[in-house]
Every structure is written in structure tokens, then in C-alpha cells.
Amino acid sequence: MKIMVVGGGGREHAIIKKLLENKTVEKIYCLPGNGGISRDAECVPISSTDIPAIVDFAAKTKIDYAVVAQDDPLILGCVDELNKIGIPCFGPDKKAAIIEGSKVFSKDFMKRHGIPTAAYEVFDDPKKALEYLKTAPIPTVVKADGPALGKGALVCMTREEAVSAVREIMEDKKFGKSGDRVVIEEFMEGPEVSVLTFSDGDTVIPMVSSTDHKRALTGDLGLNTGGMGTVAPSPYYTKEAENAALEKIILPTVSAMKAEGRPFHGCLYFGLMITKDGPKVVEYNCRFGDPETQVVLPLLKSDLLSIMLATTNGGLDKVPVEFSDGAACCVIMASKGYPEKYEKGFEITIPDEISQSVYVAGAKLENGKLLTSGGRVLGATAVAKDLKTAIDKAYKLCERISFDNAYYRTDIGKKALAALEKEV
Ligand code: AMP
Ligand code: GLY
């Protein structure tokens, strides 16, 4: 089988490594991929948002199955265009991808179906939004409606910050047209848990839970990033939280999407906050999370390709989806200064015997050398029988990888471990 993966980060690398475990996979192309991925797949320099070029490549290369892993192409309708030329895909069509593509859609959808989430208001006029903020409860969260590279949600601890957020998003158009509308929502408190699920439109199967670390620096300091590390399973996703999430959030979401004529095929990501009133939805994503995938897929014992094909064709209830009982930890090694200013172009050294545990996100290949080319450079994942061992092993991997100006947090999983120890 010839497979095409659309995207080019650590998540895509983790997906590719897992797919390669299936012996029917002859070849994987990755568009555009990166220097690290090119060791496992043929990287093709086509941008993940250039839908006509992706479709053209898929037709010429006679691709059997496409995995559209990244949010932008999904929201733009990449799956719809590939389906039109007869190529089956993993991932939702445009109609279903709107669950991530529009915050206004997702909030209204949850309200229509009684799915627990933060209370909110929607504005398309900055004057009205600013007027509302005069008396709105503070802290609050201001969110651009459309996609904004994961940076469109601004948690505002003061009224002044909220006013600036509305100005930046709606008047200065920091995120372009994505800021034509904003959602202003209630601030929620509690630990965050990511629950990725497989869905074929009817059946939904949750994967092992995980917890991201969004702040750049050790001690949860610094700016928000795309994610500096993850652990799975999340100790905050207790049996009680899991049962409530399934009954009140996960199952109703998938059946309501179908009832609204938007059956969801692919990976539906539930960003949950475990509040004192139970789990509530922070966000939906229409794809695997990054870096959650780098801990979730290494724990998957079943065959990923068979599961993916079932999400596309139906019959997910008949395919085994089993996770190991152990734990995983992924530590992201970044370029010092990320997410602001950082230098790149430094050579990366990864010993061969650990390369299977490394998912490369920001690197390019030049004259046979792997050089840093992004803020988040790679993730090192370790799997073990328990969380503590997984964390220790992941940090041992990091010590064996080197590049100039490397930075990584030294406390990935620390809070999770403390929470786990408190439970026992
Ligand atoms: P989002 O892009 O909606 O996932 O938001 C990004 C991050 O902002 C989340 O992972 C949370 O840490 C935070 N956040 C978003 N919405 C809320 C909320 N209503 N209350 C508290 N924090 C939030
Ligand atoms: N880790 C958050 C995301 O993938 O959106």
C-alpha cells in the first residue's frame, strides 16, 4: 500500500513510524515532512496547505490512502478534494472539520446539545465586545473564531488585558480574517487532559489520555508554546472523570455531529478541563494532537493502519484498539529562545540505537547532516511500566541527543507524578 501523510512535524513522524509497523505498507510519502522524517518516509516539498498540488501529487503517484494529519488542510477541505478523485483518507471532511475550524461553531454546537463547556458570548463587532467587557466577569478568555496556529486563545487575568486582546484580534487583525468574530468565555479552573479518540462517524473509541505542558520554561513559566512535553496516561483522568466525559461529552459529540449531517471520520481530539463540576470542553481539534500523539501512539498495541481504515470505511467497532498498561513520557527539545527569537542551523546528533524513540519536528537535511530548522526541534519518547520510569528514561534519551542552543524543560510529568502519588 502506498500512503501519503500530509503535514511535517513530530506528530506526523510518530504516525509514520507506527504505520511502518504494518507490513502491507510499501512506501510512505510525507508532504512536506522534514529532514528527520526523511529517514522513514520520502518527503516531498509540497506545502500542506497547497491543496491542488497535494491532489495532483496523489493522483500522479497513485496513492492508495492519505492521512491528512494537520489542521489547516483538513479545515480547507483537503479530504473532500482527495475523495473527489477516489482517494480514501484518514481525517474529517470540511463539513466535520469545522468543529475545530470555527470556535463559534463549536461553542454553539455544544450549547445546542447540552455538552458541558465554559459559558460564552459571540461578537462580530469590536465595539460591542468592548462594551461587554466593561462588566464581564474577570478573568476571562478571548478567542479568535478561526484558526490561528494554536495562538488564538488569550487568557486574560485583568480587564485591560481583555480589552487589548479584543483590539489585537478584531481591530489589528493579528490573526487575519480568523478574528472577524470572537468568542469571549468564562475562565475555567482545573487540570487539563487531552483525550484523542478514533471515530468512524458512529462508533467512537477513546485512546489513552494524556497531559500537555504548554509553557516554555521549567516550573510552568514563560510563554505558551505548541507544547514542551507530554505524559500518558494522565493521572487527572480518573475513572470518575472518564465516565463523566464519555457519557456527557464524547458519545454525545459524535452522535450529534452525525445527527447534524457532519459525521466525523478520523481522530477527534477533546481538550478537557477537569473542573470541580466535572469535565468540560476547552476545545475540540479535528486531528491528532501534537505532542500528545508522541506519547499516545507508542502505547498503542494494535495496528494503526487497520484502525485508520475502519474510521474511513466504518466498522470501527470490529477492529481491536488496545493500549499497553504502561506509561509514556515525551520531552521536547527546543531551540533556546523559543517561542520568541532563536537561532537555527545547528547540527543535531542522535545515536542510531535511540533514533526509533525520537520524533523530529524542526530539522532539515543538508549534505547528509541533520540541522535544526525550527523552535521545537524534536521529541524524545520513552515507554515504561510506570510513569516515573518513563520520565527518567525520556530524560536519559535527551542527554544522549545534542545540538547547540538546545533547551528542554526539566519537569515534564513532575506534577502528574505528584498527583499520582497523592492518589495512591
Ligand atoms: P484553546 O486554543 O481553546 O485550546 O486554548 C488554549 C489554552 O488556553 C487551553 O489549553 C487552556 O490552557 C487555555 N484556555 C482556553 N479556554 C479556557 C477557559 N475557558 N478557561 C481557562 N483556560 C482556558
Ligand atoms: N497539543 C495541542 C494541540 O495539538 O492542539
Side-chain angles (χ1 to χ4, degrees):
M1 201 177 214
K2 270 198 266 183
I3 299 181
M4 171 176 85
V5 174
V6 179
R11 163 185 54 207
E12 286 73 13
H13 204 176
I15 291 172
I16 288 167
K17 282 189 195 276
K18 198 76 199 172
L19 285 173
L20 284 170
E21 291 176 9
N22 181 307
K23 296 294 166 248
T24 68
V25 174
E26 289 159 52
K27 171 132 193 159
I28 302 185
Y29 296 91
C30 188
L31 282 58
N34 68 51
I37 292 179
S38 65
R39 293 179 173 174
D40 294 299
E42 182 172 332
C43 294
V44 184
I46 292 176
S47 155
S48 58
T49 51
D50 188 348
I51 311 289
I54 294 170
V55 172
D56 193 45
F57 173 83
K60 281 198 188 124
T61 321
K62 300 200 169 56
I63 293 294
D64 298 305
Y65 190 57
V67 176
V68 184
Q70 207 181 300
D71 44 358
D72 287 336
L74 288 166
I75 292 164
L76 289 168
C78 189
V79 166
D80 308 58
E81 296 308 310
L82 287 166
N83 286 344
K84 273 188 205 156
I85 62 160
I87 296 179
C89 296
F90 176 80
D93 62 7
K94 192 173 180 175
K95 254 181 120 174
I98 194 172
I99 197 162
E100 172 169 1
S102 167
K103 298 267 188 212
V104 175
F105 171 86
S106 72
K107 295 297 292 191
D108 289 348
F109 169 85
M110 286 185 267
K111 191 188 253 178
R112 278 196 294 283
H113 299 285
I115 294 169
T117 187
Y120 70 104
E121 300 285 336
V122 175
F123 298 94
D124 59 9
D125 176 352
K127 276 196 211 85
K128 291 200 176 127
L130 292 170
E131 189 57 37
Y132 167 76
L133 282 179
K134 285 184 182 157
T135 53
I138 298 294
T140 188
V141 187
V142 181
K143 297 183 178 183
D145 175 38
L149 296 168
K151 300 190 177 101
L154 300 170
V155 178
C156 306
M157 301 313 287
T158 64
R159 215 169 286 284
E160 292 68 37
E161 273 174 48
V163 166
S164 309
V166 163
R167 293 224 156 97
E168 276 175 21
I169 296 174
M170 299 192 88
E171 291 178 348
D172 308 342
K173 296 278 177 210
K174 191 171 173 187
F175 307 113
K177 280 186 71 61
S178 288
D180 286 354
R181 289 190 293 180
V182 292
V183 169
I184 302 185
E185 70 176 31
E186 174 202 358
F187 174 77
M188 298 187 289
E189 281 179 283
E192 284 183 63
V193 176
S194 305
V195 183
L196 283 58
T197 66
F198 291 111
S199 167
D200 67 1
D202 290 300
T203 299
V204 58
I205 301 185
M207 298 179 223
V208 60
S209 64
S210 55
T211 260
D212 196 357
H213 296 65
K214 287 192 194 280
R215 297 296 191 111
L217 309 175
T218 299
D220 275 331
L221 300 172
L223 294 172
N224 261 328
T225 69
M228 294 299 288
T230 30
V231 294
S234 168
Y236 307 114
Y237 202 51
T238 57
K239 204 73 210 151
E240 188 191 353
E242 181 184 347
N243 289 340
L246 255 183
E247 185 202 331
K248 296 191 177 123
I249 296 173
I250 297 174
L251 296 170
T253 298
V254 169
S255 60
M257 285 295 277
K258 186 178 181 198
E260 291 199 1
R262 303 174 189 273
F264 190 97
H265 296 267
C267 172
L268 183 53
Y269 166 131
F270 296 82
L272 305 178
M273 198 167 277
I274 314 299
T275 71
K276 61 175 178 19
D277 304 320
K280 293 189 181 181
V281 177
V282 179
E283 65 166 344
Y284 290 121
N285 289 324
C286 65
R287 45 148 183 107
F288 279 102
D290 190 338
E292 287 90 339
T293 306
Q294 291 92 308
V295 282
V296 169
L297 288 188
L299 289 171
L300 177 65
K301 289 197 290 186
S302 312
D303 175 49
L304 179 61
L305 181 60
S306 315
I307 301 169
M308 285 184 157
L309 289 168
T311 67
T312 309
N313 303 322
L316 186 59
D317 54 335
K318 295 179 194 71
V319 177
V321 184
E322 281 174 39
F323 287 86
S324 120
D325 291 333
C329 172
C330 173
V331 177
I332 299 291
M333 295 182 72
S335 305
K336 199 177 283 166
Y338 169 76
E340 292 186 289
K341 265 204 191 131
Y342 53 86
E343 287 180 63
K344 39 195 183 185
F346 300 112
E347 188 173 355
I348 307 168
T349 316
I350 307 169
D352 279 347
E353 62 275 20
I354 65 165
S355 71
Q356 201 48 30
S357 311
V358 177
Y359 303 116
V360 179
K364 61 178 179 185
L365 212 49
E366 233 173 64
N367 303 323
K369 285 184 179 165
L370 197 59
L371 305 178
T372 64
S373 70
R376 286 191 303 163
V377 175
L378 55 84
T381 295
V383 172
K385 60 179 189 334
D386 59 51
L387 185 59
K388 181 163 188 327
T389 318
I391 295 169
D392 291 344
K393 276 174 75 181
Y395 278 108
K396 290 221 167 71
L397 291 172
C398 293
E399 283 166 16
R400 300 183 63 192
I401 300 167
S402 64
F403 54 90
D404 283 352
N405 277 11
Y407 174 80
Y408 53 90
R409 281 179 58 161
T410 54
D411 62 344
I412 299 302
K414 199 171 168 185
K415 278 190 187 162
L417 204 55
L420 200 64
E421 279 160 5
K422 219 165 81 188
E423 245 172 58
V424 185

